[in-house]
Amino acid sequence: MLDTPEAVLEAMRENHDRPHGLHRTVTAEELVEAAEAFDKPDVLVTALLELMTAYEFTGEHRKSPVVFARLLKLWDTAPESFSPWEAHQVFWRFKWVTTSLLQVPEVPLATVHGWIDRMRSRYEAAEHDMQPVAAMRYHVALHTGDGVADAYDLWATRGRTELSDCEACETRNFAWHQVLSGDDEGALDTWAPVLGGAQACSEEPQASQARALLPMLRTGRTDEVRSHHLTGYRKVRGGNGTQQEVGLHLEFCALSRNEGRGLEILAENRPLFEAVGAPLAHLEFLTGVEVLIARLVEDGHADTPVAGPPGRNWTAGELLGHVRSEADALAAAFDGRNGTTAVGDRRALRLARQPLVDEPLPLGLRSPAARGPVAPAPAAKAPVAALPEDFVALVGEARRLSREGHPTAERLWTAVDQRLADGGAEHDAGLGPEDLLRAELAEHRAGGLGSADHDDEAVVAMEEAADLFERVGMPWHALSARARAASWGTTPEEAEANGDAVRARLDGFLRDAERLMTEAPLTGESPGAGETASGADVGGQRVREYLIVLNACAYAAYRDAEHRLPEPPDAAMERFEEHVGRLGAEAERLSVPHQRANARQYVADLHGRRGDHARAETELRAALKDLEGSARPWRGSRPRALLAQFLMAKGEPAEARELLHQAIADAVRYDDTRFPLAPTYALLGHALSHLGDPADAVRHLSEAAARFDQAEEHTEATETRLQLADVLSGSGRQADAVAVLESVLSDPTAASLDERVLAQARLNLARGLRELEEHLPAATEFLRLADTVAAWEEDRYIHTLVAAETATTLALADRWDQAATAYQRALAAHAEAPNPPLITEMMREFARLTMVARESEGVDAALDHLAQADAVIAAAVADAAEDYPDWYERGSVHYRRARVLAEADRFPEALAEAEAAISAHEQGGERGEVPRAEAVRMAALIEGNGLDRRNDAITRLTTAAARCRNAGLDEAAHILDALRQEYMAR
């Protein structure tokens, strides 16, 4: 009931603690109405200020000036009703009204200038400095484009006053002026205190983060821009008062080629289409939407469903027309009001921008399903030679590169296939039999399908190639094609069910190869019709196909043995050794070193999987030696990546990093589209994290996740993002980690992951949110986690962990009733699955938070929590193993009790508890020195401040600081010395 002024004030206090949004704004309006019922101007002043705050931070700029007019009237008629803080706010909020008036095109520009004149008069009468007035004149000049340089000089050359915008906001405005002047580098230097966290306020750093995105992208600061997008967007999403910032994030997504991410952001902010209380900010949002949607339409995706204004479904083309019409009208209204073209010009400049990168900037977040060019796979940056326009020349070049085994042949064969399919070319008699070309294309398609793990389709295509090769008189090619088809089609299940038949078929290919030695020898004359037409060196090509047959047999034997790991039958290993041995020996005899290297890679991989890393490493290093003389350097990427895996297992990340860098560089350089770049980037990120290089680790893990997404390898993408979140969190970038984890857990494909992996991810998210002091969202995640683990009967200790952390987080979120329920649940779980350190930590934290929430009234409740902790420790000591750190637990409880008692002014008791904490931590030896030093500091504070015994405190601190220095704890000694110096100075 709001029937007394006191009830209204209490309701205002409660409303003030709510997040900005519709609920808080509507309640603030109701409280103004309630305050008007009393003859208490001071209550109405407070209510009006609260309402104005609600309007300011929810983008209701049309309404804000009306509220301020009422405040000014009260200021003129009843100034004694304003507290000192409220009196200060009257002058402070003149600036809010100026910016609110600028937001509304129906307000004449003369009215805006008149308001600033009024502000100046009020400031002069109150003897305030004019710098804030100059700032407002600059904002008007910037908006209209009239007299910007002079207005900036008049503002920027004046010193700050107590009524100036906060340092963070002024830094943003200075930097934004530099951006608009074309000085990105200078702007980013100016922004450094805000973006680095040294300056902050309720609007910062998120407002600056949004504005700095494109300057960072233009200057190549990709690591920073990734981080500021992740952390900055989380703070502005869904806010009516942050429409401009959301629009800038949408524009960034479009210009960093992350259109899919932009569509997700658009869907999350759909209500902003109806947020029209701040027309200028709404125009900025609509322009960001238009930049994004225009990119989709230009790329041919006008029919793509997108999120638009609520109430109907939209395609990209429909939304573009709607947004463009509304935004054009708004821009015209502002320019008409201003008598300039500045607003329309800035809008046109944004719409004219093209993407600033050649490939999507990996953000580390889940990427939406690819929509053709909307989310293309990150492209290799190696220079790619132009394709021959002449079809005969194109086929000839594809054949030449195929004979060399060069990866670029794949791109050329794809082009040949496409030109034939779309009618851009026809078969030419100069290319030999048409069936030969069809065979080569089928072989190419089979290889691509096989590398994509579409084995069944690959087998069909390769068998087609074999038939065609036979038809044109190329028996060696036909045989190698059949052997490859057989090796791909030999699934582990087939090998187990029909092992003898499969092996017999492969043995038959070897006999066919021996027969062909006489009918179509590896060297000499009698080429087939297709061989003649292909222009190949017949002997060299037949050697190649012969070794491919041996390779296929070795590969099949490898797959059979691999399937039977960890202990393949002796027969499987004997067959494997026989086939890889034959492949290696024949490759050496025929001087084909890359096939010798293939044999070594099979041996290395199989023995490495069996735990023989030494043998694996030896074989891989030998394989790389083979490849050095093979004239096929592109073959080195795979053995390097495999060797790096084994080196990582040995704990040698430095060499692994170099190998992986070279593997990736060669794969890109030689256009090897079949090299598995995604897992290689992931492994490189893992190596870099072990080497203490989190920045590069984040870059490469983000790249890996984006590539896994593009390949629709969702499980691998999610696992990579979980590792990315760990690296971000471990390097102090908790907000980035939280953004990544939110992306993971919102991804429907994450359901395919192991339940425990997802539970760990949710635990990490909850802890990250709590560290960011987003306590209510953290508590929500803990409650979801509790639902997940509820059925884990075999792991009851996890129930204890989750319940305890949930209880503490609910208390941090000021949800005390729910916290009490979780607290009791944690105690019940502890009774079944004891975890004394976790439970006592919860109890200590409840003691601390109880004192914070209830001040002096919370003493008894806080002491009760600590008494429960004593009981838990005593029971644990009776039952625990020898490694239970009871000294630490007892010391921590005594320390917390000392603080509780000191806050209650019960200083003698508090000192006794601090002494007990010191004694307990001494029992921990070296491990106890740091907490012991903190307990000494607390005892000295109680002595010096509470009991007025500074000499005793100085003596205590002198001895403790010397002890810390002897233990190598210089930081602790410095803290103790500083307190001692403070007491001595008194």
Side-chain angles (χ1 to χ4, degrees):
M1 293 290 291
L2 301 176
D3 52 0
T4 67
E6 291 74 20
V8 173
L9 289 170
E10 178 59 31
M12 279 192 279
R13 278 192 289 270
E14 291 181 4
N15 197 43
H16 183 78
D17 291 335
R18 292 190 176 102
H20 288 292
L22 182 61
H23 185 194
R24 177 169 172 173
T25 301
V26 170
T27 302
E29 291 172 335
E30 293 171 349
L31 291 172
V32 168
E33 292 180 9
E36 290 172 331
F38 310 107
D39 188 20
K40 298 280 290 183
D42 57 333
V43 177
L44 182 57
V45 166
T46 305
L48 288 170
L49 284 168
E50 281 295 310
L51 178 57
M52 193 175 179
T53 299
Y55 285 155
E56 178 72 16
F57 289 98
T58 53
E60 292 289 350
H61 290 277
R62 292 180 183 275
K63 301 177 180 179
S64 187
V66 177
V67 178
F68 190 69
R70 296 183 64 185
L71 275 169
L72 269 186
K73 185 176 181 180
L74 285 167
W75 174 252
D76 290 336
T77 59
E80 71 281 356
S81 301
F82 290 73
S83 70
W85 181 84
E86 290 169 336
H88 177 82
Q89 287 298 302
V90 170
F91 292 95
W92 183 271
R93 297 190 185 196
F94 267 98
K95 300 179 294 182
W96 289 13
V97 175
T98 302
T99 54
S100 292
L101 294 174
L102 271 184
Q103 282 276 345
V104 183
E106 294 87 353
V107 176
L109 196 60
T111 301
V112 180
H113 284 301
W115 179 259
I116 297 176
D117 291 340
R118 189 177 179 186
M119 175 183 173
R120 179 185 181 89
S121 298
R122 292 275 185 168
Y123 271 49
E124 285 178 338
E127 298 184 345
H128 290 306
D129 190 86
M130 292 297 109
Q131 193 259 15
V133 177
M136 292 304 102
R137 295 200 188 281
Y138 165 73
H139 289 314
V140 174
L142 182 66
H143 173 67
T144 63
D146 187 12
V148 178
D150 289 343
Y152 179 79
D153 288 341
L154 287 172
W155 165 49
T157 56
R158 291 178 179 265
R160 287 177 48 77
T161 76
E162 64 175 354
L163 288 170
S164 298
D165 284 344
C166 78
E167 281 191 285
C169 289
E170 279 211 337
T171 297
R172 175 185 74 234
N173 290 322
F174 285 136
W176 190 238
H177 180 83
Q178 290 174 282
V179 170
L180 296 177
S181 301
D183 184 8
D184 287 340
E185 291 286 0
L188 292 171
D189 289 342
T190 300
W191 253 318
V194 174
L195 299 178
Q199 297 176 0
C201 68
S202 60
E203 298 178 28
E204 292 294 350
Q206 58 269 27
S208 288
Q209 286 176 311
R211 288 160 177 78
L213 292 173
L214 293 187
M216 284 184 172
L217 197 57
R218 285 193 290 259
T219 55
R221 304 187 189 191
T222 54
D223 291 340
E224 295 174 69
V225 77
R226 178 189 299 112
S227 176
H228 288 302
H229 170 64
L230 295 183
T231 61
Y233 172 67
R234 289 191 68 253
K235 295 178 182 178
V236 302
R237 63 186 174 191
N240 284 4
T242 54
Q243 289 193 74
Q244 180 175 1
E245 287 74 20
V246 173
L248 290 169
H249 281 279
L250 289 170
E251 183 178 7
F252 162 75
C253 289
L255 300 185
S256 65
R257 297 191 183 273
N258 280 285
E259 293 93 336
R261 165 72 171 163
L263 292 180
E264 288 185 334
I265 291 176
L266 193 60
E268 285 184 322
N269 293 276
R270 195 173 187 183
L272 296 188
F273 283 104
E274 299 179 323
V276 295
L280 185 58
H282 193 57
L283 172 61
E284 299 289 346
F285 166 70
L286 292 176
T287 302
V289 174
E290 187 174 345
V291 172
L292 172 69
I293 301 302
R295 292 291 314 149
L296 296 180
V297 174
E298 288 169 17
D299 284 339
H301 297 278
D303 294 331
T304 298
V306 296
R312 56 160 287 189
N313 296 325
W314 296 85
T315 66
E318 292 167 340
L319 182 61
L320 179 61
H322 173 83
V323 167
R324 181 169 288 164
S325 174
E326 183 179 354
D328 281 347
L330 272 175
F334 279 110
D335 283 342
R337 187 269 303 270
N338 300 336
T340 68
T341 61
V343 174
D345 290 346
R346 282 195 291 269
R347 170 171 153 74
L349 180 64
R350 290 178 70 185
L351 294 175
R353 287 176 180 146
Q354 294 299 307
L356 297 170
V357 290
D358 295 329
E359 59 187 57
L361 174 69
L363 299 175
L365 302 176
R366 172 179 61 88
S367 297
R371 296 182 178 89
V374 175
K381 294 182 180 178
V384 177
L387 299 177
E389 289 296 327
D390 180 73
F391 185 66
V392 173
L394 176 63
V395 174
E397 182 66 2
R399 286 172 172 170
R400 183 186 71 79
L401 291 174
S402 292
R403 291 194 295 273
E404 294 179 2
H406 198 290
T408 300
E410 300 302 324
R411 185 166 58 87
L412 270 64
W413 283 122
T414 298
V416 170
D417 209 358
Q418 288 174 345
R419 290 191 191 179
L420 289 172
D422 62 19
E426 294 181 356
H427 182 264
D428 188 286
L431 296 173
E434 184 173 356
D435 280 346
L436 170 60
L437 184 56
R438 291 174 55 206
E440 291 165 322
L441 290 171
E443 185 179 40
H444 157 68
R445 286 194 296 271
L449 290 165
S451 65
D453 294 327
H454 298 304
D455 287 348
D456 290 343
E457 298 168 72
V459 168
V460 171
M462 194 59 83
E463 290 286 3
E464 177 188 350
D467 291 341
L468 290 166
F469 280 129
E470 280 188 348
R471 193 177 301 172
V472 296
M474 299 177 69
W476 276 112
H477 290 71
L479 177 60
S480 71
R482 295 200 193 285
R484 275 188 283 176
S487 67
W488 292 342
T490 310
T491 64
E493 294 75 16
E494 288 176 331
E496 192 164 341
N498 308 299
D500 291 340
V502 170
R503 286 188 287 273
R505 188 178 179 208
L506 291 167
D507 288 342
F509 292 135
L510 290 176
R511 289 192 295 273
D512 288 343
E514 292 168 356
R515 174 180 53 79
L516 280 174
M517 292 285 196
T518 59
E519 297 178 8
L522 299 181
T523 59
E525 303 303 324
S526 304
E531 290 172 325
T532 302
S534 68
D537 166 51
V538 175
Q541 281 289 70
R542 290 178 178 180
V543 166
R544 171 183 175 273
E545 305 305 324
Y546 167 62
L547 289 175
I548 287 174
V549 173
L550 299 187
N551 195 341
C553 293
Y555 176 64
Y558 158 78
R559 290 184 71 181
D560 182 37
E562 177 199 29
H563 171 61
R564 300 165 187 268
L565 290 172
E567 291 297 332
D570 290 344
M573 286 303 298
E574 288 171 5
R575 183 174 179 83
F576 170 73
E577 297 290 352
E578 174 190 349
H579 283 291
V580 296
R582 181 170 181 175
L583 172 62
E586 287 293 88
E588 188 169 359
R589 179 178 71 84
L590 295 167
S591 300
V592 184
H594 73 270
Q595 286 287 16
R596 174 66 176 155
N598 286 340
R600 293 187 186 280
Q601 287 179 70
Y602 292 138
V603 173
D605 189 48
L606 190 59
H607 284 276
R609 290 171 185 261
R610 299 183 73 189
D612 188 353
H613 291 176
R615 172 94 185 265
E617 182 179 347
T618 298
E619 293 289 345
L620 287 169
R621 292 191 188 280
L624 289 170
K625 280 284 188 184
D626 289 335
L627 292 171
E628 285 178 8
S630 72
R632 297 191 177 197
W634 49 85
R635 291 270 185 174
S637 291
R638 286 166 177 76
R640 285 191 180 94
L642 188 56
L643 177 56
Q645 292 183 44
F646 294 124
L647 290 173
M648 287 296 298
K650 286 176 60 181
E652 298 179 13
E655 186 181 358
R657 173 189 58 191
E658 299 309 315
L659 288 165
L660 292 166
H661 273 304
Q662 187 172 351
I664 291 171
D666 284 350
V668 172
R669 176 184 178 188
Y670 295 112
D671 198 16
D672 189 353
T673 58
R674 294 182 183 176
F675 179 73
L677 279 170
T680 308
Y681 273 114
L683 186 60
L684 178 55
H686 185 56
L688 290 162
S689 68
H690 280 272
L691 288 168
D693 186 356
D696 276 352
V698 166
R699 184 181 308 117
H700 293 300
L701 290 169
S702 299
E703 181 80 19
R707 289 178 179 274
F708 278 130
D709 278 334
Q710 195 62 33
E712 298 187 357
E713 297 176 6
H714 302 301
T715 299
E716 292 81 358
T718 301
E719 289 172 347
T720 301
R721 289 195 172 91
L722 294 178
Q723 185 179 355
L724 171 61
D726 285 342
V727 173
L728 289 167
S729 178
S731 60
R733 294 166 59 181
Q734 194 61 260
D736 296 53
V738 162
V740 172
L741 289 169
E742 286 177 336
S743 172
V744 166
L745 291 169
S746 66
D747 183 359
T749 64
S752 63
L753 283 182
D754 180 82
E755 184 181 48
R756 292 173 185 274
V757 172
L758 286 177
Q760 183 64 54
R762 196 169 298 282
L763 176 62
N764 292 346
L765 173 58
R767 287 172 170 171
L769 289 166
R770 185 173 62 199
E771 186 173 324
L772 295 175
E773 298 186 359
E774 297 181 29
H775 296 133
L776 192 56
T780 300
E781 294 300 331
F782 274 119
L783 290 169
R784 289 173 178 165
L785 181 60
D787 291 340
T788 299
V789 305
W792 295 5
E793 293 298 331
E794 70 279 12
D795 292 325
R796 301 294 298 177
Y797 73 94
I798 295 178
H799 295 196
T800 308
L801 180 151
V802 173
E805 295 210 38
T806 302
T808 300
T809 308
L810 285 165
L812 286 165
D814 203 27
R815 297 294 193 268
W816 284 97
D817 290 342
Q818 293 171 276
T821 301
Y823 188 100
Q824 294 303 318
R825 190 163 58 244
L827 294 182
H830 172 70
E832 295 186 20
N835 191 331
L838 187 67
I839 292 297
T840 56
E841 180 183 3
M842 175 188 75
M843 292 170 168
R844 294 195 306 271
E845 189 66 357
F846 262 71
R848 181 185 74 83
L849 293 171
T850 298
M851 292 296 293
V852 171
R854 297 163 60 181
E855 298 178 351
S856 60
E857 298 176 2
V859 175
D860 291 341
L863 293 174
D864 181 62
H865 287 301
L866 295 172
Q868 292 182 62
D870 285 333
V872 170
I873 294 169
V877 169
D879 301 334
E882 294 181 359
D883 60 351
Y884 176 65
D886 64 292
W887 62 269
Y888 176 80
E889 298 299 328
R890 287 186 290 104
S892 298
V893 172
H894 283 304
Y895 172 82
R896 179 52 56 191
R897 189 178 287 116
R899 296 199 62 156
V900 168
L901 291 166
E903 290 172 30
D905 295 339
R906 292 161 60 173
F907 298 116
E909 297 170 82
L911 182 59
E913 287 297 321
E915 295 279 12
I918 294 168
S919 298
H921 287 309
E922 280 186 348
Q923 297 175 24
E926 291 183 4
R927 293 185 297 164
E929 286 298 325
V930 172
R932 180 190 184 280
E934 171 57 22
V936 168
R937 188 186 71 88
M938 179 54 57
L941 285 169
I942 295 167
E943 283 180 318
N945 296 339
L947 297 173
D948 200 24
R949 289 159 37 186
R950 292 194 187 91
N951 288 335
D952 291 344
I954 290 169
T955 300
R956 182 191 297 275
L957 290 165
T958 301
T959 303
R963 175 170 176 153
C964 286
R965 279 190 289 271
N966 290 336
L969 303 174
D970 294 338
E971 183 178 356
H974 175 74
I975 292 170
L976 297 173
D977 278 334
L979 182 57
R980 181 174 66 88
Q981 292 293 337
E982 180 185 336
Y983 283 155
M984 291 177 68
R986 293 186 191 178

